[in-house]
């Protein structure tokens, strides 16, 4: 297919600042262009966020010249492809209006041939202020529609179809970016336009029929070539604009989530009139099991007939400046998710429908995707005008994404049902606002069902099931649950053990960034958690107070700013581990846990397990263990301490390991060998000890298990009390020997949450682990910045944090 790329250098100007004319790279955004040109300071540094807010108070124009040859002008049509154009944008070709876009999430294909000429042409995009349009729309509504107060810094962003967190969130900077975030190009169509292709799978015993439907211009008699896995079908286009064929595959190679099998992807190529569309197709069966049971009803994804324990995290947009999205960063973040034994990512509804690259990588890595529609934490209109703006968005996004095997669920929104009870207007007139919600949600459900009947539509996250508007924050017997009682309500970590969710799709606990991360955005004079810079990078109003108050509950207070950062990440890891470990131990009651959140979109104090730089927090290292396919959670009953083996695999797993009982002087009080074979999808007690045999109340000992299973090592530690400040830990003296990328650590006393950190790129194959005396541990550095590793490596542990 002949394409004319319009990517690359454009010129950014503003009518309000006539002296400005700076280069801007497309795909990209205006804030990043202004920063690159030296017009604004780095918004992420210090307190600079406040200094760059003038940018959103201006209209911005983008322009570029392009050339067309006489041969290109002879084509039947010239299709301009535009997507992720943000947001209120008029597009002009040679000063003639060809598109007025009001929705960042819509995709546009416009024949611009009537507007162009041979030789030089001009394309320009005029972006209007979003805040003024939002206020104007609010004044025209038949009733007030509450917006996300406390998250958004600008009112009424819920009335604009734009990434909701661009105007701030309780982890996010307020940058009201404008720009074009996907490649922009012109398709040269000689005779017949090829629009899109879509597939459907019909399964039989041991075989599948793959239907390929080609959508094209309504022209009959044109040759279409469809190549699936080197089997070629030649079709003749139908005048209806849709032409189909079926491929029969015996004994297909099945696509599995990570940890359950491989992710084979079949190639599909369609050609029509020198235009080509390619896709990679994963063959798999999908079911969402919501059957009633003795507890309530299940919430279980079933792939290829096998029940899946969904483990992962929530995804927010990669960067507050979309110019900084890149293939390498997408791959790094999603590979880090897989490397931590995750198999599901939830694309959160306050962000964006992600780039094609994101979903391609999820297909490749075996990461299932729970896909929210882009509505979050506020109410939304259901007027005819709003519905007309949203319908093309929903239909286009489902059409774009539905061939990805990784996507397992379409979800209507994030917490919008719950938001009805948050705002005075809706609390005082609940019926009216519930009807308003229902009208919008039913339309979304209908549009999705018409575009993709192969997947379930889930009303909202959280919710108790189809058309159930109950309290999914506190009802744990059905549906998916958001559990925020530990963070927002100040309950103790063991509150995670008071519930038995069928699927917990949000729960989280904040930490501060690591010392290495802090150095990248905080000047040294502000190395204090209550400094102006640090507080500017804490968007949750009570965040620093909650972290600090939890210190006083569980730990001895840290001795320095650096140790406060370290301890906050220990605390975060313990919180999330407490929930995940317990919920895995009750499998199959609980079949899913997605903590909040995987990533950051700027350097900030937040709930993430991966920092903005890509550095793993301690939580992410712990997730690698507690999400392991075969894991060994401790379980305490009234009479005994137990260790369970939980096996998520489709095959049995053999466990070899050792349980240690040790005091804090390093004296071995007991030692047991563990040798056990656990069945597929199994959950068994593999070791137990009566409490009569050890004195829990004396708090002078701990238990530790280390196992080898399927070639991997997994460890876990149990303390008699979660209040680690009460334990009689001895100061550990840790000796480190470095040889290239290998680091060997040895301690004289038991050392806990032994964490390695350095100021360069790269991570370790393990960190934040327990180190027993006389039992050296060798860790591998995964990176190539050996010199920075050597010069900045720091080793932390709990006993030396105070």
């Amino acid at each position: 297919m002949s394409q004319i790329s319009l990517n690359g250098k454009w010129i950014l100007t503003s009518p309000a600042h006539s002296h400005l004319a700076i280069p801007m790279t497309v795909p990209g955004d205006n804030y990043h262009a202004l920063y690159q040109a030296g017009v604004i300071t780095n918004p992420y540094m210090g307190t600079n966020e406040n200094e760059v807010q003038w940018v959103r108070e201006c209209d911005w124009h983008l322009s570029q010249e392009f050339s067309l040859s006489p041969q290109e002008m002879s084509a039947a049509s010239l299709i301009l492809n535009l997507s992720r154009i943000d947001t209120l944008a008029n597009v002009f070709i040679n000063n003639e209006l060809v598109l007025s876009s009001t929705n960042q999430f819509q995709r546009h294909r416009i024949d611009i041939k009537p507007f162009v000429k041979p030789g030089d042409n001009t394309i320009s995009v005029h972006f209007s202020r979003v805040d003024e349009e939002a206020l104007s729309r609010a004044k025209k509504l038949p009733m007030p529609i509450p917006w996300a107060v406390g998250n958004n810094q600008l009112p009424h962003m819920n009335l604009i179809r734009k990434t909701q967190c661009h105007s701030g969130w309780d982890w996010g900077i307020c940058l009201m970016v404008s720009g074009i975030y996907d490649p922009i190009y012109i398709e040269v169509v000689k005779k017949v336009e090829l629009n899109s292709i879509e597939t459907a799978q019909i399964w039989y015993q041991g075989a599948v029929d793959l239907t390929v439907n080609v959508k094209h211009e309504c022209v009959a008699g044109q040759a279409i070539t469809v190549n699936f896995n080197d089997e070629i079908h030649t079709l003749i286009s139908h005048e209806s604009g849709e032409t189909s064929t079926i491929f029969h595959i015996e004994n297909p190679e099945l696509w599995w989530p990570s940890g359950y099998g491989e992710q084979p992807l079949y190639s599909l190529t369609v050609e029509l009139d020198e235009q080509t569309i390619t896709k990679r197709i994963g063959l798999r069966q999908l079911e969402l099991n919501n059957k009633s049971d003795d507890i309530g009803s299940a919430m279980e994804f079933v792939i290829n007939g096998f029940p899946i324990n969904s483990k992962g995290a929530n995804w927010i947009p990669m960067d507050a400046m979309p110019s900084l999205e890149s293939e390498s960063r997408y791959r790094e973040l999603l590979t880090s998710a897989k490397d931590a034994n995750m198999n599901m990512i939830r694309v959160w509804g306050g962000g964006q429908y992600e780039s094609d690259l994101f979903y391609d990588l999820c297909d490749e890595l075996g990461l299932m995707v729970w896909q929210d529609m882009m509505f979050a934490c506020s109410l939304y209109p259901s007027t005819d005008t709003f519905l007309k703006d949203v319908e093309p968005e929903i239909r286009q996004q489902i059409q774009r994404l539905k061939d990805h095997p990784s996507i397992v669920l379409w979800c209507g929104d994030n917490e919008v049902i719950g938001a009805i009870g948050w705002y005075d207007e809706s609390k005082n007139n609940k019926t009216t606002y519930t009807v308003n919600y229902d009208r919008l949600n039913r339309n979304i459900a209908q549009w999705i069902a018409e575009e993709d009947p192969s997947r379930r539509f889930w009303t909202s996250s959280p919710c108790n099931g189809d058309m159930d508007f109950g309290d999914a924050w506190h009802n744990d017997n059905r549906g998916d649950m958001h559990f925020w009682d530990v963070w927002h309500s100040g309950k103790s970590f063991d509150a995670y053990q008071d519930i038995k969710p069928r699927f917990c799709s949000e729960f989280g606990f904040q930490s501060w960034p690591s010392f290495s991360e802090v150095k990248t955005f905080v000047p040294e004079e502000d190395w204090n958690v209550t400094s102006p810079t640090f507080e500017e990078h804490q968007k949750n109003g009570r965040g620093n107070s909650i972290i600090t108050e939890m210190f006083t509950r569980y730990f001895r207070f840290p001795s320095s700013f650096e140790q406060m950062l370290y301890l906050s990440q220990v605390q975060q890891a313990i919180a999330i581990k407490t929930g995940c470990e317990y919920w895995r131990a009750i499998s199959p009651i609980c079949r899913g846990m997605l903590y909040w959140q995987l990533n950051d979109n700027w350097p900030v104090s937040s709930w993430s397990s991966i920092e903005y730089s890509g550095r793993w927090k301690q939580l992410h290292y712990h997730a690698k263990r507690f999400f392991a396919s075969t894991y060994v959670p401790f379980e305490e009953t009234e009479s005994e301490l137990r260790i369970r083996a939980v096996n998520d695999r489709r095959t049995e797993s053999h466990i070899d390991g050792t349980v240690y009982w040790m005091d804090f002087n390093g004296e071995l009080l007991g030692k047991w060998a563990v040798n056990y074979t656990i069945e597929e999808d199994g959950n068994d007690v593999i070791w137990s000890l009566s409490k009569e045999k050890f004195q829990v109340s004396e708090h002078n000992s701990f238990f530790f298990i280390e196992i080898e299973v399927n070639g991997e090592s997994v460890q876990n530690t149990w303390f008699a009390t979660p209040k680690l400040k009460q334990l009689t830990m001895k100061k550990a003296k840790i000796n480190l020997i470095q040889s290239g990328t290998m680091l060997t650590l040895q301690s004289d006393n038991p050392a806990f949450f032994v964490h390695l950190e350095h100021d360069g790129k790269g991570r370790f194959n393990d960190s934040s682990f327990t180190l027993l005396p006389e039992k050296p541990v060798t860790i591998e550095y995964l990176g190539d910045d050996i010199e920075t590793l050597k010069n900045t490596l720091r080793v932390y542990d709990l006993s030396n944090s105070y």
Side-chain angles (χ1 to χ4, degrees), residues 428-445:
N428 296 330
N429 199 350
K430 192 169 184 179
T431 299
T432 297
Y433 285 89
T434 302
V435 170
N436 171 71
Y437 171 85
D438 185 57
R439 183 178 186 223
L440 173 61
N441 192 262
R442 282 180 184 268
N443 274 282
I444 293 171

Side-chain angles (χ1 to χ4, degrees), residues 6-18:
L6 301 182
N7 299 330
K9 181 180 176 182
W10 291 51
I11 299 299
L12 178 67
T13 60
S14 172
H17 300 274
S18 57

Side-chain angles (χ1 to χ4, degrees), residues 584-612:
R584 289 204 71 184
I586 62 171
S587 173
I589 293 173
C590 179
R591 281 294 196 185
M593 53 202 78
L594 308 176
Y595 63 71
W596 185 270
Q597 67 210 65
L598 181 73
N599 56 312
D600 286 327
N601 71 345
W602 73 310
V604 67
S605 302
S606 84
W607 295 266
S608 73
S609 64
I610 301 177
E611 296 180 321
Y612 174 70

Side-chain angles (χ1 to χ4, degrees), residues 507-708:
F507 59 103
F509 199 89
Q510 267 200 9
S511 76
W512 291 315
S514 65
F515 189 44
S516 293
E517 194 83 0
V518 164
K519 290 179 183 180
T520 67
F521 69 95
V522 182
E524 188 169 354
E525 63 269 20
D526 273 1
W527 285 0
N528 187 297
V529 295
T530 60
S531 71
T533 295
F534 222 79
E535 291 190 338
E536 187 69 28
H537 289 251
Q538 169 59 275
K539 296 301 184 181
N540 184 265
R542 296 171 51 240
N544 289 348
S545 298
I546 293 173
I547 293 171
T548 308
E549 193 274 333
M550 281 293 190
F551 281 173
T552 65
R553 290 196 210 181
Y554 290 104
F555 303 100
R556 302 182 190 189
F557 209 75
S559 59
S560 66
F561 171 67
E562 186 178 343
Q563 294 295 344
M564 289 182 80
L565 303 179
Y566 159 77
L567 189 61
S568 78
Q569 295 202 3
V570 171
Q571 181 169 258
Q572 178 193 36
I574 291 174
I576 303 307
K577 176 179 182 287
T578 300
C580 290
E581 183 160 280
Y582 177 65
W583 298 336
R584 289 204 71 184
I586 62 171
S587 173
I589 293 173
C590 179
R591 281 294 196 185
M593 53 202 78
L594 308 176
Y595 63 71
W596 185 270
Q597 67 210 65
L598 181 73
N599 56 312
D600 286 327
N601 71 345
W602 73 310
V604 67
S605 302
S606 84
W607 295 266
S608 73
S609 64
I610 301 177
E611 296 180 321
Y612 174 70
S613 66
R615 181 178 286 105
W616 286 23
K617 290 183 179 178
Q618 294 187 58
L619 169 57
H620 210 76
Y621 286 105
H622 283 267
K624 182 181 177 182
R625 291 192 283 270
F626 61 65
F627 281 159
S629 291
T630 305
Y631 184 56
V632 280
F634 281 91
E635 180 182 57
E636 185 180 3
T637 70
E638 290 186 3
S639 60
E640 63 183 8
L641 180 65
R642 299 172 177 171
I643 297 176
R644 287 186 170 272
V646 182
N647 182 31
D648 290 347
R649 297 177 184 271
R650 293 187 295 121
T651 56
E652 65 179 27
S653 290
H654 185 75
I655 297 169
D656 280 308
T658 306
V659 180
Y660 300 86
W661 177 24
M662 188 174 287
D663 70 17
F664 291 107
N665 294 311
E667 181 180 346
L668 190 63
L669 306 176
K671 183 178 178 181
W672 299 265
V674 174
N675 187 284
Y676 193 85
T677 299
I678 184 169
E679 64 185 4
E680 64 178 40
D681 195 34
N683 182 350
D684 296 339
V685 174
I686 62 171
W687 175 89
S688 64
L689 184 68
S690 169
K691 285 185 177 180
E692 294 179 354
K693 296 184 179 180
F694 64 96
Q695 295 297 315
V696 173
S697 61
E698 291 183 4
H699 299 162
N700 63 351
S701 63
F702 66 96
F703 288 84
F704 174 83
I705 181 172
E706 186 171 42
I707 63 169
E708 289 287 330

Side-chain angles (χ1 to χ4, degrees), residues 50 67 86 273 380 383 402 426 448 468 494 555 578 606 673 739:
N50 299 318
S67 183
D86 185 10
D273 190 24
Y380 293 85
T383 60
K402 65 182 180 180
S426 49
I448 290 177
D468 188 331
D494 57 10
F555 303 100
T578 300
S606 84
S739 176

